[in-house]
Amino acid sequence: MSEKHLFSKEAKKKLRELAEGIDFTMMETNLGAKPSHFVPMSTKAVDDAGCIWFLSNKNSEHNSHLNSDKNIQLVYSKPSAMEFMTVYGTAFITTDKKVLKRYYGKMDDTWFDGIDDPNLTAIKVIPEDIHYWDTKNGKIVSLIKMGIGAITGKEQDLGEEGDLKINRPDYPFNH
């Protein structure tokens, strides 16, 4: 696997591609405790600043943890496409109606009583450290290349991995 670090605009594009393409992540909160707390979450969007957005219940355990410790880890995994990403960052909870309306969709009615549900919150994750693994060609091509490498003894390019560095001249910005 070759190493390819991406910066600024290219990094934001890759972050959006992976986070929105994989969609579900394991959100880890309460990082200083043993055990920490994990919950599966669906990514609503990656905004133009490179922040990742989720909807959440204000009474959830992860919201409770984020109220006392804003550090967060996200683990994205799509084994069928051989795409993976970890994101460490800072999370902020908001009840701003404009934000909630922007990210709320009909499928969210499964979890909430509409956009006016008093328990509806949004979580904004500001990434600080991002690392990704991407085969570029998917699982089947990667398996074929592994087989070719095993037969020929020649190293195959199975994809790329690297850090995503998002230029944030305005960090920390309003949340």
Side-chain angles (χ1 to χ4, degrees):
M1 203 165 261
S2 60
E3 195 168 305
K4 184 176 181 184
H5 302 296
L6 303 176
F7 299 89
S8 298
K9 195 181 283 189
E10 197 175 21
K12 289 177 194 175
K13 180 180 177 188
K14 187 68 167 180
L15 172 64
R16 178 176 285 125
E17 171 190 315
L18 290 172
E20 292 179 1
I22 296 172
D23 184 13
F24 281 92
T25 185
M26 290 302 293
M27 177 184 282
E28 182 184 16
T29 58
N30 205 25
L31 300 184
K34 292 183 183 179
S36 58
H37 179 259
F38 280 93
V39 62
M41 296 289 284
S42 177
T43 303
K44 297 309 285 184
V46 176
D47 67 20
D48 291 340
C51 298
I52 306 168
W53 289 89
F54 303 90
L55 293 180
S56 184
N57 189 305
K58 77 173 183 179
N59 298 315
S60 65
E61 190 171 353
H62 50 280
N63 273 40
S64 175
H65 293 308
L66 292 173
N67 283 323
S68 59
D69 179 1
K70 298 198 178 315
N71 294 312
I72 195 167
Q73 181 83 26
L74 304 172
V75 180
Y76 287 89
S77 174
K78 190 174 186 179
S80 63
M82 299 296 283
E83 296 174 337
F84 307 92
M85 180 172 64
T86 60
V87 178
Y88 173 82
T90 306
F92 299 93
I93 298 170
T94 183
T95 56
D96 182 300
K97 281 290 188 199
K98 282 176 43 180
V99 171
L100 298 177
K101 286 179 181 174
R102 183 178 316 138
Y103 297 114
Y104 195 90
K106 189 67 178 157
M107 293 296 294
D108 297 313
D109 287 344
T110 304
W111 303 101
F112 302 101
D113 291 327
I115 192 75
D116 294 317
D117 186 325
N119 294 316
L120 178 61
T121 67
I123 298 173
K124 173 184 179 179
V125 176
I126 301 172
E128 296 171 26
D129 186 75
I130 309 165
H131 194 83
Y132 75 100
W133 299 262
D134 187 357
T135 61
K136 298 186 285 191
N137 300 310
K139 188 175 187 176
I140 293 174
V141 173
S142 294
L143 290 173
I144 291 169
K145 284 184 175 185
M146 280 188 238
I148 291 170
I151 293 168
T152 64
K154 294 181 181 174
E155 187 175 324
Q156 300 293 305
D157 181 11
L158 298 177
E160 59 191 33
E161 68 157 310
D163 296 324
L164 302 179
K165 301 292 185 188
I166 298 173
N167 186 12
R168 284 201 168 31
D170 53 349
Y171 181 82
F173 49 87
N174 295 333
H175 49 276

